[in-house]
Amino acid sequence: AESITPRLLGLSAFARLLEISENTARRYSNIGIVNPQRDSSGRRLFTPADVDKARAYLKRKSHDDDT
């Protein structure tokens, strides 16, 4: 089976996709909600798995706000 290389997203693309600010995306990374890879310059590279994790977190968070 051929390996599918996951598409990596930079911080701004990741934030846009999730409709969060870049600062929020950075915070998610800092507090460990997502665990992006880093390129040689230290920039965050987010995988589809990170997107899923952040989506799940956002869902939980909005659900908590309803109570």
Side-chain angles (χ1 to χ4, degrees):
E2 63 185 80
S3 69
I4 297 159
T5 316
R7 212 166 98 252
L8 296 172
L9 298 168
L11 184 77
S12 57
F14 177 77
R16 259 202 315 277
L17 193 62
L18 290 160
E19 299 178 349
I20 58 179
S21 72
E22 292 186 17
N23 278 338
T24 299
R26 271 189 209 97
R27 193 170 72 241
Y28 284 9
S29 166
N30 292 340
I31 65 181
I33 290 159
V34 294
N35 194 6
Q37 302 165 29
R38 299 275 182 158
D39 68 10
S40 53
S41 314
R43 284 186 294 254
R44 293 171 178 87
L45 295 171
F46 297 89
T47 64
D50 290 318
V51 174
D52 290 342
K53 280 184 215 150
R55 282 219 170 101
Y57 175 76
L58 285 162
K59 229 189 236 111
R60 274 203 309 278
K61 210 161 62 88
S62 65
H63 188 71
D64 290 345
D65 294 342
D66 295 339
T67 55

